């Protein structure tokens, strides 16, 4: 299995309305091909609806049209993809912040040099730049202590999309990326025996306040927000930053977003683990209520998931989670079993907020791109033609079946190219001729090339 370590640091966060980078082009043409209300000549992505015109890297191409390729770095890829996800959720984008970028890169380097994991650094070790994320950010010149951090480490070469998809499947990390009170980010990446991604999130509004003058009046204030812990921020200014940023985001954030069609089907584990009695389960469905848009927390919350055939997916809804990291405005549905590849699902939410309210949305799990062969019995034979690529899926035998090791025995006339998609799914391309034997998930099967 491609080993994945997902680690999150959560702090109390707040922020402000960010400015969105756009690249307008003057034009008198009134054509609006994607019907997003912006004419093609002024649209930085004229073929895909993107009314927000988010352009994270400022290259004149909207994120919705940005093609992630080898011409950009993995950190650029990560920012583009992460903002695509936030845009699908209706949220404002992250803006790149140089100090946070430096602090994230420093920690990625520390993890590599010391073959370490986690958020803490220890003075005296190679590459030390600060005990925790806020310390490391301050060391680069970031003026606020309000910094959160997500980390993913992988045992194989990994794309930015894979890193973020893994973090978004892990609910604590997801809430970090979909936080209503952060608006800027720095991303660090380093490759060694493992690919390591570090994401540092911050709040531009607080940073701006910390760059100003310390409050000297007699009204309430907040200390311990800025690099200088004695620096005072007037309470009303602090709260206005928070209020502005929350007001810029939707009333309710659901994930997967309505209409998503590339949702991974499974969740494995994270640290801390919100579902300790399952090693593998279905992709979590989450709901987050915007505290600035409602006067009180909702009650009698019900969240259900249905298949396309209207079958209720057996699941659990968690609000008081084992890690004690959810707020009373966050709710998560964990399907007990992993979802199926390339299938439609419907989520239904109901809650009481001065009356019973409801919301329904749909999403589709990822199409792996090739024909799926399901490995259901030991001794099964699968046939393919030389050069054909197919997906081998072995359903989990139980909730702790996460072993993904495999072994092969092939004749000299056959070559196998095998890529792990997840712990239960392989992408296989076979060329040549003959019959191969493959062991995967305690099952042995033969692959015959026609």
């Amino acid at each position: 299995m491609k080993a994945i370590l997902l680690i999150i640091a959560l702090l109390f966060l707040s922020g402000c309305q960010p400015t969105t980078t756009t690249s307008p082009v003057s034009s008198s043409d009134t054509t609006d091909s994607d019907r997003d209300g912006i004419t093609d000549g002024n649209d930085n992505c004229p073929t895909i609806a993107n009314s927000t015109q988010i352009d994270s890297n400022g290259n004149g191409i909207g994120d919705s049209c940005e093609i992630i390729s080898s011409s950009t770095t993995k950190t650029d890829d990560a920012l583009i993809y992460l903002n695509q996800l936030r845009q699908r959720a209706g949220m404002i984008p992250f803006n790149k912040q140089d100090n946070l970028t430096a602090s994230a890169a420093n920690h990625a380097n520390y993890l590599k040099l010391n073959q370490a994991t986690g958020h803490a650094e220890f003075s005296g070790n190679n590459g030390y730049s600060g005990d925790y994320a806020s310390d490391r950010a301050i060391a680069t010149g970031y003026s606020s202590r309000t910094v959160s951090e997500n980390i993913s480490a992988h045992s194989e070469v990994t794309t930015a999309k894979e890193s973020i998809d893994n973090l978004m499947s892990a609910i604590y990390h997801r809430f970090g990326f979909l936080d209503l009170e952060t608006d800027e980010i720095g991303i660090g990446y380093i490759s060694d025996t493992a690919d390591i991604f570090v994401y540092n999130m911050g709040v531009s509004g607080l940073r701006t306040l910390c760059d100003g003058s310390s409050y000297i009046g007699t009204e309430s204030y907040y200390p311990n927000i800025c690099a200088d812990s004695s620096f005072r921020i007037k309470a009303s200014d602090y709260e206005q930053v928070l209020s502005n940023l929350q007001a810029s985001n939707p009333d309710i954030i659901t994930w997967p977003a309505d209409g998503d069609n590339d949702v991974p089907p499974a969740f494995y584990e994270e640290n801390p683990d919100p579902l300790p009695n399952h090693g593998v389960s279905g992709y979590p469905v989450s709901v987050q209520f915007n505290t600035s848009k409602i006067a009180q927390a909702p009650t009698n919350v019900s969240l259900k998931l249905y298949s396309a055939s209207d079958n209720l997916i057996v699941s659990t809804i968690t609000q008081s989670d084992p890690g004690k990291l959810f707020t009373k405005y966050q709710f998560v549905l964990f399907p007990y079993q992993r979802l199926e590849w390339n299938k439609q699902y419907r989520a239904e939410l109901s809650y009481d907020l001065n009356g019973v309210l409801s919301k329904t949305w749909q999403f589709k799990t990822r199409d792996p791109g090739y024909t799926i062969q399901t490995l259901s019995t030991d001794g099964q034979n699968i046939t393919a033609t030389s050069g054909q690529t197919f997906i081998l899926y072995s359903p989990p035998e139980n909730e702790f079946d996460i072993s993904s090791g495999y072994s092969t025995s092939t004749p000299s006339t056959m070559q196998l190219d095998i890529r792990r998609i997840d712990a239960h799914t392989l992408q296989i391309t076979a060329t040549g001729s003959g019959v191969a034997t493959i062991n995967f998930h305690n099952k042995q099967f033969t692959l015959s090339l026609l």
Side-chain angles (χ1 to χ4, degrees):
M1 178 183 179
K2 180 189 290 187
I4 303 167
L5 177 64
L6 306 176
I7 308 166
I8 186 170
L10 294 177
L11 302 175
F12 179 72
L13 303 169
S14 52
C16 74
Q17 171 94 33
T19 56
T20 301
T21 303
T22 59
S23 301
V25 178
S26 176
S27 174
S28 59
D29 186 1
T30 59
T31 302
D32 181 13
S33 300
D34 56 12
R35 300 179 182 179
D36 61 1
I38 301 169
T39 58
D40 288 357
N42 293 302
D43 196 337
N44 63 17
C45 179
T47 59
I48 300 174
N50 68 327
S51 59
T52 60
Q53 296 287 283
I54 296 171
D55 177 14
S56 300
N57 59 9
N59 68 351
I61 302 173
D63 286 2
S64 296
C65 277
E66 191 80 54
I67 299 174
I68 294 177
S69 68
S70 59
S71 65
T72 62
T73 67
K74 286 193 176 183
T75 55
D76 289 337
D77 293 349
L79 179 59
I80 291 166
Y81 183 58
L82 186 53
N83 275 338
Q84 288 173 348
L85 300 190
R86 283 173 66 93
Q87 184 178 10
R88 295 213 302 258
M91 299 183 69
I92 58 175
F94 280 131
N95 289 317
K96 181 179 179 180
Q97 207 285 326
D98 291 342
N99 301 102
L100 294 177
T101 299
S103 67
N106 288 341
H107 189 50
N109 184 56
Y110 174 91
L111 296 177
K112 172 187 174 180
L113 290 175
N114 296 281
Q115 296 295 296
T117 60
H119 299 285
E121 292 186 9
F122 298 94
S123 178
N125 285 352
N126 290 335
Y128 172 82
S129 60
D131 289 357
Y132 293 101
S134 59
D135 304 310
R136 295 188 287 270
I138 289 170
T140 69
Y142 195 72
S143 54
S144 169
R145 294 181 176 275
T146 308
V147 179
S148 64
E149 184 172 80
N150 276 357
I151 301 172
S152 69
H154 311 256
S155 62
E156 299 175 5
V157 175
T158 304
T159 66
K161 184 177 187 296
E162 289 171 330
S163 166
I164 292 170
D165 280 346
N166 284 318
L167 289 163
M168 288 294 287
S169 74
I171 193 60
Y172 295 135
H173 297 74
R174 179 191 300 175
F175 282 143
F177 279 153
L178 300 182
D179 195 288
L180 294 165
E181 302 167 9
T182 55
D183 64 344
E184 58 187 13
I185 193 169
I187 303 172
Y189 164 78
I190 199 163
S191 182
D192 189 32
T193 54
D195 267 12
I196 301 169
F197 290 82
V198 177
Y199 305 83
N200 283 173
M201 284 80 74
V203 188
S204 66
L206 290 185
R207 176 172 53 81
T208 299
L209 290 175
C210 290
D211 286 336
S213 300
S214 182
Y215 177 64
I216 59 174
T218 59
E219 298 181 42
S220 299
Y221 65 88
Y222 289 102
N224 301 313
I225 301 297
C226 303
D228 177 358
S229 60
S230 65
F231 189 101
R232 299 179 178 184
I233 294 179
K234 188 178 178 181
S236 60
D237 291 343
Y238 179 94
E239 290 155 7
Q240 188 63 55
V241 165
L242 173 63
S243 176
N244 287 346
L245 189 52
Q246 289 176 332
S248 301
N249 283 305
D251 296 4
I252 302 176
I253 297 172
T254 60
W255 196 264
D258 188 22
D260 273 1
N261 60 5
D262 190 38
V263 178
F267 161 62
Y268 288 96
E269 295 174 320
E270 67 178 312
N271 180 25
D273 193 347
L275 204 62
N277 294 324
H278 285 72
V280 57
S281 56
Y283 192 83
V285 177
S286 63
V287 175
Q288 185 173 7
F289 292 87
N290 189 331
T291 58
S292 73
K293 307 291 183 73
I294 58 177
Q296 60 191 32
T299 58
N300 301 319
V301 175
S302 171
L303 186 55
K304 296 180 179 179
L305 187 64
Y306 295 87
S307 67
S309 56
D310 232 25
N311 292 322
L312 178 66
I313 305 299
V314 177
S315 59
T316 181
I317 180 171
T318 300
Q319 195 272 325
S320 180
D321 60 296
K324 307 300 182 186
L325 294 176
F326 295 168
T327 73
K328 60 183 179 180
Y329 296 90
Q330 296 173 329
F331 300 85
V332 182
L333 179 149
F334 293 98
Y336 279 149
Q337 297 182 343
R338 60 175 288 158
L339 306 181
E340 298 183 59
W341 289 105
N342 198 27
K343 297 293 183 181
Q344 191 81 25
Y345 292 89
R346 183 181 79 255
E348 294 185 356
L349 167 71
S350 67
Y351 57 97
D352 195 334
L353 194 64
N354 298 320
V356 177
L357 302 173
S358 64
K359 181 179 179 68
T360 299
W361 69 102
Q362 298 188 52
F363 63 88
K364 189 177 183 182
T365 52
R366 178 169 296 162
D367 180 354
Y370 301 97
T371 300
I372 299 174
Q373 300 275 8
T374 300
L375 186 58
S376 53
T377 60
D378 193 34
Q380 189 171 334
N381 180 62
I382 293 175
T383 59
T385 58
S386 178
Q388 176 187 354
T389 299
F390 66 93
I391 300 297
L392 180 71
Y393 172 58
S394 179
E397 295 181 359
N398 55 59
E399 61 270 30
F400 294 107
D401 178 16
I402 59 173
S403 171
S404 65
Y406 66 87
S407 61
T408 64
S409 176
T410 58
S412 59
T413 55
M414 182 187 294
Q415 294 79 44
L416 292 179
D417 180 13
I418 300 179
R419 175 175 176 263
R420 294 184 184 90
I421 304 299
D422 62 33
H424 298 89
T425 313
L426 302 176
Q427 178 180 305
I428 300 176
T429 304
T431 56
S433 61
V435 179
T437 300
I438 302 177
N439 294 282
F440 183 50
H441 273 278
N442 299 316
K443 300 184 185 76
Q444 184 178 89
F445 72 99
T446 55
L447 173 59
S448 304
L449 291 188
L450 300 177

